[in-house]
Structure formats: structure tokens, C-alpha cells
Amino acid sequence: MTTNELKFVGRKTELTKIHEHIRDCRQCLISIHGQGGVGKTYMLREILACYSDDSQYLCFPIVDFSQSKTRTLYWIMNFVVEHAENFS
């Protein structure tokens, strides 16, 4: 079974809260954390699918913070700088 065939079950409340936060917030960063295997990446994919094609939003690819925090923060800063001109 592929990821696209799986149903996203049991996270409607969380997704609704995230969508409300995005709608109500001019600038926000959403971070999802938790134990492995609970569906964090799948939830992020659902969120990205809703907003990544909308030019009003700057959506990061999924970032794995288990790597070096310095390297990850450097990558995020570069990503923002590279895409900032689209939001000026």
C-alpha cells in the first residue's frame, strides 16, 4: 500500500488546529514533534499538500532536526533568504 492510498485517521482535531493557526497568523512556524512512528511526517505531508502550491505561503520541505542543529538552522536560514524575494 502506498502513502497516497493510506487514509489519514484520528488526527482531524490536530489538523484543524494547525489550519486555524495558519489562517489566523500572519507569520508562523509550525513544529511537530513526538515519538517515532506516530505519524508526524504524514501529518506534515498533509499540511504541505494544502499550502505548498499557494504563493501566499512559504513552505519548508520537511526538516529532520535529529541532525546537527547548527547545520539544520543554517539550512533553514539559507532557505528563507533564497525565497524571501517572493514575499517582499
Side-chain angles (χ1 to χ4, degrees):
M1 185 177 287
T2 67
T3 303
N4 291 337
E5 295 171 329
L6 295 174
K7 297 290 184 198
F8 197 60
V9 178
R11 298 291 187 193
K12 185 174 182 173
T13 300
E14 290 89 346
L15 280 174
T16 299
K17 287 180 182 180
I18 291 169
H19 289 301
E20 288 171 355
H21 182 70
I22 291 170
R23 185 192 66 227
D24 296 341
C25 181
R26 174 69 179 118
Q27 297 175 344
C28 61
L29 176 65
I30 296 172
S31 173
I32 298 175
H33 59 88
Q35 293 180 310
V38 297
K40 300 177 300 292
T41 301
Y42 196 83
M43 182 178 286
L44 287 170
R45 287 185 180 137
E46 289 290 310
I47 295 164
L48 284 172
C50 292
Y51 298 99
S52 61
D53 290 337
D54 189 333
S55 63
Q56 175 180 338
Y57 300 99
L58 173 60
C59 296
F60 289 92
I62 296 171
V63 178
D64 180 0
F65 281 96
S66 67
Q67 304 299 315
S68 161
K69 287 187 173 88
T70 302
R71 183 174 59 221
T72 303
L73 291 174
Y74 180 75
W75 181 89
I76 290 172
M77 288 186 298
N78 281 333
F79 185 89
V80 170
V81 168
E82 289 172 8
H83 294 84
E85 65 188 34
N86 298 329
F87 295 91
S88 52

